[in-house]
């Protein structure tokens, strides 16, 4: 009121009306197949907000319509599968928000694949199953395959008796007699795996054959420096066989030294010709 005037003052300030920008990342292996991006259950969701004015205050997110949670760090996706929808918003330090909490910032993330491939195996050649054990011969090969309806099969590997792991490329053959443990592992394109263990017994020993005569020999005759038993013509011969592991399938027999024609044994053999 007396005309005194203070010195000129200048106050500078910035009006920030721009909300933060959210960047979404999936940490972990992903794979594209048939136009779909797949990720494994080991993957994590990472949200980053950028604001070059007031700075980021908080980030909130929702997965598949769940209640919004404050983002504290990477989110494990191990308990989720299928197609996931993420909604997220961020606040800066003057409370600008990316979008309204009702709409959110929506984007699809890769399809989460939690399961490993399905393993199948088959046998080319003779095999016999008894309880949980499979008997094979050295002529039997084992063919392995796998299917995965999500990210697809990457590769198959196997080991025998806990020895070195081998990548499967062709049917397997086992040569050593005895019990063997075949472990199969199949991997999909996002590193999910599944395994199958098979107990195999390699049996290369044929049955033991036993013969029983219906009557004892009446004498012996020396032929080619060997004593050969001699039987009467009404002799009946019985055959049997036993096998330690897989049992006997059939018995075949032939009579004579020339033009041998093997026949299936089903009844006792009789009607032998003289001499």
């Amino acid at each position: 009121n007396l005309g005194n005037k203070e010195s000129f003052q200048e106050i500078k300030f910035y009006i920030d009306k721009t909300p933060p920008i959210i960047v979404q990342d999936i940490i972990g292996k992903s794979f594209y197949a048939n136009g779909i991006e797949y990720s494994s259950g080991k993957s994590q969701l990472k949200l980053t907000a950028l604001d070059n004015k007031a700075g980021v205050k908080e980030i909130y997110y929702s997965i598949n319509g769940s209640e919004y949670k404050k983002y504290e760090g990477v989110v494990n996706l191990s308990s989720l599968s299928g197609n996931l929808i993420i909604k997220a918003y961020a606040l800066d330090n003057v409370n600008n928000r990316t979008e309204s909490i009702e709409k959110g910032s929506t984007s699809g993330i890769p399809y989460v694949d939690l399961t490993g491939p399905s393993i199948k195996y088959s046998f080319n050649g003779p095999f016999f199953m008894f309880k949980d054990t499979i008997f094979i011969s050295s002529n039997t090969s084992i063919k392995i395959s796998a299917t995965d309806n999500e990210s697809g099969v990457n590769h198959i590997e196997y080991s025998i008796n806990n020895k070195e792991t081998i990548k499967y490329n062709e049917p397997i053959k086992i040569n050593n007699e005895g019990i063997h443990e075949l472990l199969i592992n199949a991997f999909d394109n996002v590193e999910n795996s599944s395994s199958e263990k098979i107990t195999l017994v390699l049996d290369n020993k044929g049955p033991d054959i036993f013969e029983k005569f219906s009557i004892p020999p009446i004498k012996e005759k020396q032929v080619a420096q060997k004593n050969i038993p001699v039987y009467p013509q009404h002799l009946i011969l019985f055959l049997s066989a036993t096998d330690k592991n897989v049992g006997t399938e059939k018995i075949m027999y032939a009579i004579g030294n020339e033009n041998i024609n093997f026949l299936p044994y089903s009844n006792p053999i009789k009607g032998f010709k003289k001499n």
Side-chain angles (χ1 to χ4, degrees):
N1 290 317
L2 294 177
N4 295 315
K5 182 182 179 181
E6 68 170 331
S7 59
F8 178 78
Q9 293 188 31
E10 181 181 25
I11 302 171
K12 294 182 179 181
F13 57 92
Y14 185 90
I15 302 297
D16 182 2
K17 294 183 178 181
T18 304
I21 298 172
I22 294 180
V23 178
Q24 173 188 287
D25 291 309
I26 299 298
I27 303 172
K29 185 177 179 65
S30 63
F31 180 80
Y32 281 92
N34 299 321
I36 301 174
E37 183 181 8
Y38 293 89
S39 67
S40 74
K42 300 174 185 177
S43 297
Q44 297 174 314
L45 170 66
K46 180 182 179 182
L47 297 175
T48 305
L50 307 173
D51 190 284
N52 63 353
K53 298 297 187 290
V56 178
K57 180 181 178 182
E58 294 170 328
I59 304 174
Y60 290 86
Y61 71 97
S62 168
I63 301 178
N64 289 349
S66 64
E67 183 180 351
Y68 278 87
K69 297 179 182 179
K70 185 177 180 180
Y71 180 76
E72 302 287 356
V74 292
V75 180
N76 291 318
L77 302 176
S78 58
S79 61
L80 304 168
S81 63
N83 290 308
L84 304 184
I85 298 297
I86 301 296
K87 291 185 177 181
Y89 70 90
L91 297 173
D92 66 11
N93 285 306
V94 290
N95 288 331
N96 289 312
R97 189 163 53 200
T98 49
E99 283 189 12
S100 67
I101 193 170
E102 290 81 11
K103 293 183 179 178
S105 175
T106 306
S107 61
I109 70 168
Y111 183 102
V112 180
D113 178 2
L114 297 179
T115 57
S118 299
I119 297 172
K120 292 183 180 180
Y121 55 88
S122 59
F123 300 94
N124 183 17
F127 72 97
F128 178 79
M129 296 186 66
F130 181 67
K131 295 183 178 179
D132 59 349
T133 303
I134 303 170
F135 295 85
I136 61 174
S137 78
S138 56
N139 295 320
T140 306
S141 60
I142 306 156
K143 183 179 179 180
I144 304 172
S145 62
T147 56
D148 190 282
N149 294 326
E150 295 176 310
S151 62
V153 178
N154 184 281
H155 69 281
I156 302 170
E157 59 186 31
Y158 68 94
S159 65
I160 299 174
N161 299 331
N162 294 319
K163 294 182 179 178
E164 64 173 326
T165 299
I166 302 170
K167 189 172 182 179
Y168 177 81
N169 292 310
E170 59 185 7
I172 305 165
K173 276 195 171 184
I174 299 175
N175 297 314
N176 297 326
E177 187 99 9
I179 300 174
H180 303 277
E181 293 286 346
L182 174 62
L183 177 62
I184 305 168
N185 289 307
F187 297 84
D188 67 12
N189 284 301
V190 289
E191 296 181 346
N192 293 314
S193 65
S194 54
S195 62
E196 186 93 24
K197 182 179 284 189
I198 312 169
T199 300
L200 300 168
V201 176
L202 183 67
D203 178 10
N204 280 332
K205 186 177 183 301
D208 295 317
I209 300 173
F210 302 93
E211 69 277 357
K212 185 70 176 177
F213 296 93
S214 62
I215 191 170
I218 54 177
K219 63 179 181 178
E220 286 189 346
K221 183 178 180 180
Q222 193 173 52
V223 178
Q225 298 182 346
K226 291 183 179 179
N227 291 327
I228 304 297
V230 177
Y231 293 88
Q233 199 170 350
H234 59 272
L235 165 74
I236 298 175
L237 175 60
F238 302 89
L239 300 178
S240 64
T242 62
D243 189 89
K244 179 181 178 182
N245 292 318
V246 300
T248 301
E249 181 187 19
K250 61 186 176 181
I251 300 174
M252 303 291 292
Y253 76 96
I255 299 176
N257 296 321
E258 297 180 0
N259 300 321
I260 294 177
N261 180 29
F262 278 89
L263 303 171
Y265 175 82
S266 57
N267 294 300
I269 304 168
K270 57 184 177 180
F272 290 98
K273 295 180 180 180
K274 186 176 180 182
N275 296 321

